[in-house]
Amino acid sequence: MAQKIVIVNTGCANISSVKFALQRLGVEVEVSSDTATIARADKVFLPGVGSAAAAMTSIRAKDLIPTLQALTQPVLGVCLGMQLMVESSDESNQGKIDCLNLIPGHVGRLQAGGLRLPHMGWNTVTPTQDEGLFNGIPAGTYFYFVHSFAVPDYDKTLATCDYGQRFSAALQHNNFYGVQFHPERSGEAGAQLLTNFVKL
Amino acid sequence: MLAKRIIPCLDVRDGKVVKGVQFRNHEIVGDIVPLAQRYAEAGADELVFYDITASSDQRVVDKSWVSRIAEVIDIPFCVAGGIRSVTDAGRILEMGADKISINSPALTNPDLINQLHDVYGQQCVVIGIDSFYNADTGQYEVYKFTGDESRTQQTQWQTLDWVAEVQSRGAGEIVLNCMNQDGVRQGYDLAQLKAVRDVCRVPLIASGGAGTIEHFIDVFQQADVDGALAASVFHKGIIDMQELKSTLTQAGVAMRKPLGEQ
């Protein structure tokens, strides 16, 4: 039976890009903010672009926080979606804000050491393991990044990237996965990663 | 290491790709979607689509081609032209564009840059600047409505001041189109790009003048831009994407390699 794959409608603007990328892989997807639909899915995508504060406001308004925290199936956060998965973020006018707390960790401003921000473009990623999400994706593979905030390299890091500082290009904690780059816009490498996630 | 980006630009009018010389005499090059797909497959790092009639034309422009591109393209792309409001931008981003580029409307209403930054985030706000080198005064001058020769006008801005202004308002990237060079394939305006680079802390994309592979090497090595945009050399097959990227790699410019070729 075909898997049920749901993209959480976070109200952010890259939802159609993620949907189209999965459709290119021949995967049926549904975009939903319905808690029952999300809870029943086999795989869940949490997309996001823009600011953490705005996205958390939208997620809270849709009353999705308890549903997302209760998920036990594989969940993949993309870009801002990944940043929303940790405990807190500095990306707010009001100082630190609470995120979804699915993965321990904190989002801070990327310490690019004089390099230009946003960190925008194709950069190389080094996975910490060569199976699972990064199956068939060797160290040095290019992915497309656009961000100014990041999660540092720590014990939940599944892949690293260097831009002024070493930061988490991908995270994993139990069933929760996140990628800082945009697999939906990362050519063949991105398609490989999305395929790996769908096959988990 | 962050790779430098090669960015084919497709000028769009009425859903077709067109190309003119120094902003004039547009001829049809082909259909958007197959051309976009061809560039993505050839190794382009990003694509820009300029709806060239939109900004200088009050009619509502059909943008349904944006989602047709988003369905087939697996690299980032930016849409420019005719985006005058946060609502216009939202519509384009929801159709699947990764970034929106604002040019004349930002000059008419600079607050639009702040609004776009606050609603959609700095990462998707690209500011396009049409800059003309005035040899009489030795100044770089910002122009607007360049999509329509009859309405093209000089603004009160000098380019370096406008570059500083758009950054302070939240621009995430700047595309500097050097009008004197546009479409004539004599090389990027290195002097101007270097001057802008000095005051530009966000990614800077060079536009206008690419004619040979050497021009790309020069613009990356001498002006330290983050990306180089070009149109006719790609549309007319004057430069082959693979050859361009391998030559740049040999010259020491960081280029993206496809999966499996690390």
Side-chain angles (χ1 to χ4, degrees):
Chain A
M1 207 177 89
Q3 289 194 71
K4 183 119 186 110
I5 297 191
V6 171
I7 300 174
V8 179
N9 188 352
T10 47
C12 293
N14 69 334
I15 288 168
S16 13
S17 314
V18 175
K19 184 180 76 177
F20 293 144
L22 289 164
Q23 288 172 344
R24 284 196 295 273
L25 299 172
V27 176
E28 283 297 314
V29 285
E30 182 177 349
V31 177
S32 177
S33 54
D34 174 59
T35 54
T37 304
I38 295 166
R40 275 201 308 269
D42 295 305
K43 301 275 162 55
V44 175
F45 279 87
L46 186 68
V49 292
S51 83
M56 281 307 296
T57 302
S58 163
I59 289 172
R60 201 168 285 119
K62 293 171 188 244
D63 199 20
L64 291 175
I65 296 175
T67 305
L68 294 171
Q69 287 175 336
L71 296 176
T72 55
Q73 61 274 59
V75 181
L76 181 64
V78 173
C79 194
L80 178 66
M82 181 205 92
Q83 297 186 359
L84 298 178
M85 293 174 113
V86 298
E87 293 163 82
S88 56
S89 171
D90 285 342
E91 194 192 2
S92 162
N93 296 334
Q94 285 82 46
K96 203 163 111 169
I97 60 153
D98 289 337
C99 297
L100 295 168
N101 196 18
L102 310 175
I103 303 177
H106 176 71
V107 176
R109 185 169 279 279
L110 189 58
Q111 302 300 313
L115 298 177
R116 288 148 206 152
L117 288 175
H119 173 219
M120 188 184 293
W122 298 79
N123 207 336
T124 47
V125 163
T126 304
T128 59
Q129 51 182 267
D130 56 8
E131 52 193 32
L133 197 61
F134 285 90
N135 179 36
I137 300 172
T141 299
Y142 282 87
F143 285 91
Y144 184 75
F145 289 84
V146 189
H147 62 122
S148 299
F149 287 77
V151 177
D153 179 21
Y154 70 133
D155 64 344
K156 303 299 177 192
T157 300
L158 191 59
T160 59
C161 178
D162 292 295
Y163 190 70
Q165 71 170 93
R166 179 158 294 175
F167 66 91
S168 294
L171 300 177
Q172 187 201 346
H173 178 60
N174 302 325
N175 58 314
F176 294 109
Y177 296 80
V179 289
Q180 179 61 68
F181 48 81
H182 286 274
E184 77 279 14
R185 284 286 177 259
S186 292
E188 271 182 63
Q192 177 70 42
L193 184 129
L194 292 171
T195 302
N196 291 344
F197 178 73
V198 169
K199 285 183 179 168
L200 281 177
Chain B
M1 189 175 174
L2 184 65
K4 299 290 188 183
R5 288 175 269 156
I6 303 296
I7 309 172
C9 174
L10 296 90
D11 287 349
V12 176
R13 198 175 56 194
D14 300 326
K16 298 278 184 193
V17 175
V18 296
K19 182 61 192 170
V21 175
Q22 285 184 315
F23 290 78
R24 292 186 292 275
N25 309 322
H26 296 102
E27 59 186 80
I28 291 175
V29 177
D31 286 328
I32 304 179
V33 175
L35 260 174
Q37 201 160 13
R38 208 176 78 203
Y39 286 129
E41 284 165 5
D45 298 303
E46 190 171 320
L47 298 173
V48 172
F49 300 89
Y50 272 94
D51 204 333
I52 53 166
T53 49
S55 235
S56 48
D57 193 333
Q58 290 304 312
R59 75 200 157 99
V60 176
V61 176
D62 175 21
K63 300 277 195 188
S64 60
W65 51 270
V66 175
S67 60
R68 288 193 284 123
I69 290 163
E71 284 173 27
V72 300
I73 294 301
D74 62 1
I75 58 171
F77 72 95
C78 177
V79 172
I83 300 164
R84 296 185 194 85
S85 67
V86 171
T87 312
D88 290 345
R91 206 169 289 136
I92 302 286
L93 293 169
E94 277 154 26
M95 283 196 268
D98 300 279
K99 308 186 221 181
I100 36 102
S101 181
I102 314 293
N103 190 326
S104 303
L107 288 157
T108 305
N109 172 25
D111 275 340
L112 179 58
I113 304 170
N114 304 67
Q115 291 166 20
L116 290 167
H117 169 276
D118 292 348
V119 177
Y120 293 109
Q122 185 191 17
Q123 82 293 334
C124 70
V125 184
V126 180
I127 301 299
I129 301 176
D130 288 323
S131 180
F132 183 78
Y133 176 64
N134 185 331
D136 295 337
T137 62
Q139 302 285 354
Y140 297 117
E141 299 162 347
V142 178
Y143 276 70
K144 66 176 179 177
F145 302 132
T146 54
D148 176 351
E149 198 188 351
S150 66
R151 295 188 62 220
T152 298
Q153 55 179 262
Q154 187 184 346
T155 69
Q156 83 277 19
W157 289 98
Q158 290 196 12
T159 303
L160 298 188
D161 296 335
W162 181 235
V163 166
E165 177 75 15
V166 302
Q167 288 179 91
S168 74
R169 290 177 176 274
E173 181 164 87
I174 291 172
V175 177
L176 187 76
N177 187 51
C178 305
M179 293 169 67
N180 313 64
Q181 269 75 9
D182 185 68
V184 295
R185 299 201 287 269
Q186 297 298 307
Y188 290 98
D189 186 340
L190 299 174
Q192 180 168 190
L193 286 158
K194 274 191 249 189
V196 169
R197 175 80 282 173
D198 284 344
V199 298
C200 184
R201 304 175 312 276
V202 298
L204 175 65
I205 309 301
S207 166
T212 65
I213 289 178
E214 199 63 36
H215 294 153
F216 287 85
I217 296 174
D218 290 344
V219 80
F220 286 120
Q221 290 187 338
Q222 295 182 41
D224 190 25
V225 295
D226 299 281
L229 186 145
S232 62
V233 288
F234 297 129
H235 302 326
K236 298 188 181 202
I238 295 166
I239 292 180
D240 174 72
M241 185 73 68
Q242 302 289 340
E243 188 189 349
L244 172 63
K245 294 186 91 172
S246 65
T247 309
L248 281 163
T249 302
Q250 283 160 21
V253 178
M255 286 281 120
R256 168 173 73 111
K257 293 167 195 67
L259 179 64
E261 292 180 24
Q262 287 72 32

